[in-house]
Amino acid sequence: MASHSDTLVVFFGATAGENGGKLGSDEREIILLVWQIVDLHEKKVGKLHKCFVKPDTLELTDQCKEETGLTVDDIVKAEPLDKVLQQFQQSVSSEVKCLGRTTYTLCVDSPLVIRQALHPEASKKNLVLPEIFFSFVDVRKEFHKCCPNAGLAQKLTLTSMLEYVGLPAVSEESIGVREVRSMVQLTLCILAEPHNHKFSCVETVNYKFDSGTCSKTEPVDSEAVIRARGLPWQSSDQDIARFFKGLNIAKGGVALCLNAQGRRNGEALVRFINSEHRDLALERHKHHMGSRYIEVYKATGEEFLKIAGGTSNEVAQFLSKENQVIIRMRGLPFTATPQDVLAFLGPESPVTDGTEGLLFVKYPDGRPTGDAFVLFSCEEYAQNALKKHKQILGKRYIELFRSTAAEVQQVLNRYMSTPLISTLPPSPIMPVPVLTTPPFLPAASSTRDCVRLRGLPYTAGIEDILEFMGEHTVDIKPHGVHMVLNQQGRPSGDAFIQMKSPDKAFMVAQKCHKKTMKDRYVEVFQCSTEEMSIVLMGGTLNRSGLSPPPCKLPCLSPPTAYAAFPTPPAILSEAALYQPPLLAAPRPPQTTAHSPAHTLAYYPPQPHLYMNMNMNYTAYYPSPPVSPSTVGYFAASPAVAVAAQPHHAAAAASPVLPQHGALVRMQGLPYNTGVKDILSFFQGYQSKLGGVP
């Protein structure tokens, strides 16, 4: 620590590209190091050292040449960085020993040379830096602490600080030498009377990233979070921490994002210890991880908590063991037991605490998902486990890859929380719970918080849409993904997405418009629920505006009690003007005093129900799996509701007057099922002649 150090090593570095306030922002290599020792007790100064460094790429930018006055000829015969750092370590150790001192600390005029230049370059070249480079003092912050009236530390320069204490500017023209001598003068000045300053504001660089857990209730500073995009899918939290080497990431501060299939989508949210480190991270926008460039953007604490936050006691207990390597297993047989997994991994990769080091991911109802997380006490055991990638357990091959504490939280949150798309009802042939399902479509509103996707591939599913929307998936309302089907129940190429706000919808329309999905570009339009309802009735919506649907036959009022998806009253006045002639007016069921059933409309099959097949009609269907395959096309009458109940339940039901013409949809019939089989199934219930299509 500087407050207990005997000496300061005043240090300066320059790169082959940007220098000054943008040092390290362009990934250019270091080409110059200058240093000089100051004895804090005797107030003595050592010899000034200047070393050129030979970069791997012998090229200097014009700006570098202008600012430093250096040319390629100056550095072509220099030593590479690893050799120069060895010389630095030997020189400093020898000189400090000659002074009769034992400890020393770096002193710089900006953290950029350490955090943004030296550590990232050493990480890329797999160099082990001397311990001295993991702590330092910033002369600007020390000067601000000594002379608080001089101004903000971030705005101080060597020239302004010298001027404040009445010292002349150093006249040396050589870059590096000028800066080091200026810092030495300032150091000696604030050490002497009347300041008698003690260097105590020591900054550190983390040796390694520490994994950990994050609670959903934990406060996260939005000014300390970034989103990294374009990561290799196999990258781990340690790889991301290495990309941001030199900057201090909070414990458990790397959260890998997953797509709708639970696979990594190439994005991660990273939480730093403060806003200063976050701002330095933003300067690494489009820096490279291997051959890929990584985009870095601002993010919020709320976004981080959505991904990394968790409240499960089971997860907290699983992750409570410190310094463990986490491996994720995917594709496990649903019948796999902990003993099966331990036997699969084998004795060469023992799991920490045996079965206690296994965490199986399950659905809320307890069904296994095929995923599991495994803890290993060291890197060697984890590497042995990874060698079993795609080996067979039972009759399935198992994928293994590195994971993180944040990914454990995210996967558990994904499976244990309400998904974007509703799950299947308990039974496909029980209409009663279907009829009482809450509406999935919103009340009509002019608020433009929806988007329409047009031109989707006919094979596109919900997962494809969520992957297409990328980072905007987190802004979709629950149950807010609606696939639009045609009259045959097949995808029409359209979908509507309900977003959390108009701003989110606008961003999706701007960012995703004409992006490609499966070799087709998809158009994305912002719209309101009001416009959505009109489009569903056959109108058109594009960037030129909204057009009503063609209507050749008399307009019919939309259903007023559409059980699963009722049309809101606010839509009636406008949608009724453009209603296609494909919906018959609902006929209310007749109930008796003995029937407690809900009052629901149903739709009798009439000849004109399937007329005008050329009409661009698309019904109100929510996203699969809650689609026409699991929800009846039309609300069933109470008689049909009773008919679809099991026989023992029907026998106990109150007598209900049969309602002719009610419809019920049957799912999962064998392909060789005939009309007689269906009539036999409904034996004992009235069926309208010709009512089996």
Side-chain angles (χ1 to χ4, degrees):
M1 302 293 287
S3 57
H4 302 97
S5 293
D6 302 315
T7 54
L8 285 180
V9 181
V10 180
F11 186 81
F12 176 85
T15 70
E18 294 278 3
N19 288 288
K22 287 290 186 178
L23 181 70
S25 63
D26 55 359
E27 295 186 278
R28 292 285 185 162
E29 298 170 88
I30 293 174
I31 59 171
L32 174 66
L33 295 179
V34 184
W35 69 90
Q36 189 172 18
I37 289 179
V38 176
D39 188 330
L40 294 176
H41 295 289
E42 299 294 333
K43 312 296 190 295
K44 293 181 180 180
V45 178
K47 179 183 176 182
L48 187 142
H49 301 266
K50 178 178 180 180
C51 285
F52 292 114
V53 182
K54 182 179 179 180
D56 292 343
T57 303
L58 286 172
E59 182 181 353
L60 306 181
T61 64
D62 294 337
Q63 184 178 359
C64 172
K65 294 177 182 178
E66 182 179 347
E67 291 179 350
T68 64
L70 301 177
T71 63
V72 174
D73 295 335
D74 296 322
I75 61 175
V76 69
K77 295 182 180 180
E79 296 287 346
L81 181 61
D82 57 338
K83 300 292 185 182
V84 174
L85 290 177
Q86 290 179 10
Q87 295 175 17
F88 168 83
Q89 181 70 12
Q90 294 170 0
S91 170
V92 170
S93 299
S94 174
E95 196 168 345
V96 168
K97 188 175 181 180
C98 291
L99 291 173
R101 307 303 177 190
T102 57
T103 58
Y104 46 88
T105 302
L106 279 182
C107 178
V108 296
D109 68 333
S110 166
L112 298 181
V113 64
I114 303 297
R115 298 194 183 278
Q116 296 288 74
L118 193 58
H119 275 280
E121 184 174 342
S123 178
K124 289 180 180 179
K125 296 181 177 180
N126 294 317
L127 304 180
V128 179
L129 290 174
E131 188 175 354
I132 186 176
F133 292 109
F134 287 87
S135 62
F136 61 92
V137 292
D138 186 341
V139 71
R140 297 178 307 165
K141 294 180 180 178
E142 295 290 346
F143 189 84
H144 175 73
K145 183 178 178 181
C146 177
C147 307
N149 296 327
L152 296 175
Q154 293 81 359
K155 295 184 178 181
L156 292 175
T157 64
L158 292 174
T159 302
S160 66
M161 289 186 286
L162 288 171
E163 183 180 351
Y164 186 85
V165 295
L167 294 176
V170 177
S171 58
E172 175 66 45
E173 294 183 359
S174 175
I175 187 171
V177 175
R178 177 175 63 249
E179 284 77 9
V180 168
R181 287 182 174 170
S182 297
M183 284 189 280
V184 169
Q185 284 192 19
L186 283 170
T187 300
L188 295 175
C189 178
I190 61 178
L191 286 172
E193 296 286 347
H195 303 291
N196 294 323
H197 180 69
K198 291 185 178 181
F199 286 78
S200 59
C201 300
V202 180
E203 299 185 43
T204 60
V205 179
N206 289 345
Y207 286 94
K208 65 176 184 176
F209 167 70
D210 293 325
S211 60
T213 59
C214 177
S215 170
K216 283 188 178 294
T217 59
E218 182 178 340
V220 176
D221 183 7
S222 290
E223 297 300 316
V225 182
I226 62 94
R227 179 184 293 271
R229 181 185 298 162
L231 300 165
W233 70 266
Q234 71 272 26
S235 58
S236 67
D237 54 352
Q238 296 294 339
D239 296 323
I240 296 170
R242 186 175 181 181
F243 175 80
F244 290 108
K245 186 66 176 176
L247 307 179
N248 293 346
I249 299 174
K251 184 177 180 179
V254 176
L256 297 168
C257 301
L258 306 181
N259 61 16
Q261 293 80 31
R263 301 176 184 270
R264 296 172 186 173
N265 64 3
E267 296 188 8
L269 293 169
V270 185
R271 175 190 178 192
F272 295 92
I273 59 171
N274 56 39
S275 60
E276 179 183 352
H277 288 243
R278 192 282 304 265
D279 292 340
L280 293 178
L282 292 173
E283 293 295 327
R284 300 195 188 184
H285 179 59
K286 293 197 174 180
H287 282 203
H288 288 77
M289 180 184 288
S291 59
R292 299 174 65 104
Y293 71 83
I294 309 300
E295 300 174 70
V296 183
Y297 302 100
K298 290 182 180 180
T300 66
E302 181 183 359
E303 290 175 313
F304 182 83
L305 286 176
K306 283 181 181 178
I307 301 299
T311 56
S312 170
N313 293 330
E314 184 182 15
V315 175
Q317 183 178 357
F318 177 76
L319 297 175
S320 62
K321 303 175 181 66
E322 296 289 338
N323 301 319
Q324 299 291 309
V325 183
I326 305 175
I327 298 296
R328 181 180 178 185
M329 303 180 70
R330 189 166 60 198
L332 292 168
F334 295 143
T335 57
T337 64
Q339 287 70 30
D340 294 332
V341 174
L342 293 177
F344 173 80
L345 295 172
E348 65 275 11
S349 48
V351 178
T352 302
D353 296 337
T355 57
E356 296 296 322
L358 296 175
L359 178 64
F360 287 89
V361 183
K362 299 180 180 180
Y363 290 107
D365 59 5
R367 291 180 295 116
T369 64
D371 279 28
F373 293 94
V374 190
L375 294 179
F376 296 98
S377 58
C378 66
E379 186 66 31
E380 179 185 355
Y381 295 159
Q383 288 290 349
N384 291 337
L386 291 172
K387 293 176 182 177
K388 296 183 179 293
H389 179 61
K390 292 199 173 181
Q391 290 190 16
I392 303 298
L393 174 59
K395 296 183 179 180
R396 305 188 63 174
Y397 73 84
I398 311 301
E399 297 176 285
L400 291 93
F401 44 91
R402 292 180 179 275
S403 187
T404 68
E407 185 174 24
V408 176
Q409 294 279 24
Q410 187 180 358
V411 171
L412 266 293
N413 291 346
R414 178 182 294 272
Y415 283 112
M416 296 303 293
S417 62
T418 304
L420 287 175
I421 308 162
S422 300
T423 55
L424 289 168
S427 171
I429 59 170
M430 289 181 63
V432 173
V434 172
L435 295 177
T436 57
T437 302
F440 291 96
L441 289 178
S445 169
S446 58
T447 304
R448 298 171 64 81
D449 57 354
C450 301
V451 291
R452 179 191 182 188
L453 308 185
R454 188 172 69 182
L456 296 169
Y458 294 120
T459 58
I462 298 300
E463 295 80 5
D464 299 311
I465 291 177
L466 297 180
E467 186 173 355
F468 170 81
M469 295 184 66
E471 63 178 294
H472 305 289
T473 302
V474 297
D475 299 317
I476 299 175
K477 287 183 178 180
H479 311 294
V481 183
H482 303 278
M483 296 287 289
V484 181
L485 309 181
N486 60 18
Q487 286 178 312
Q488 289 74 40
R490 298 173 182 172
S492 66
D494 279 24
F496 284 94
I497 316 293
Q498 294 170 245
M499 309 302 292
K500 292 181 178 178
S501 69
D503 292 340
K504 302 296 185 183
F506 175 79
M507 288 300 298
V508 173
Q510 292 295 314
K511 298 288 186 181
C512 299
H513 184 58
K514 292 197 174 181
K515 276 179 59 178
T516 302
M517 181 191 297
K518 297 183 178 180
D519 299 326
R520 294 189 62 172
Y521 76 84
V522 178
E523 298 175 288
V524 184
F525 308 115
Q526 185 182 7
C527 66
S528 65
T529 53
E530 218 168 34
E531 294 168 331
M532 179 172 69
S533 66
I534 294 178
V535 171
L536 289 172
M537 293 304 151
T540 58
L541 173 67
N542 53 37
R543 292 187 174 253
S544 302
L546 181 71
S547 301
C551 188
K552 299 178 181 179
L553 299 180
C555 297
L556 299 175
S557 299
T560 56
Y562 199 1
F565 320 111
T567 305
I571 297 181
L572 300 184
S573 58
E574 190 168 359
L577 298 176
Y578 309 112
Q579 179 71 6
L582 297 174
L583 294 179
R587 186 168 50 150
Q590 299 177 11
T591 58
T592 67
H594 302 284
S595 174
H598 299 285
T599 302
L600 297 170
Y602 68 99
Y603 297 84
Q606 299 178 9
H608 67 274
L609 184 61
Y610 299 103
M611 289 173 61
N612 194 7
M613 300 303 290
N614 295 323
M615 178 68 73
N616 179 23
Y617 169 68
T618 51
Y620 277 49
Y621 298 134
S623 307
V626 180
S627 67
S629 62
T630 57
V631 178
Y633 281 109
F634 305 99
S637 70
V640 179
V642 174
Q645 292 177 1
H647 288 286
H648 62 83
S654 301
V656 180
L657 291 177
Q659 300 299 319
H660 300 289
L663 301 179
V664 64
R665 177 171 179 153
M666 301 179 67
Q667 178 184 355
L669 293 171
Y671 293 117
N672 58 351
T673 302
V675 174
K676 291 183 178 180
D677 299 317
I678 297 175
L679 293 176
S680 176
F681 178 82
F682 285 107
Q683 186 176 2
Y685 301 96
Q686 293 185 5
S687 172
K688 184 172 181 178
L689 186 61
V692 182

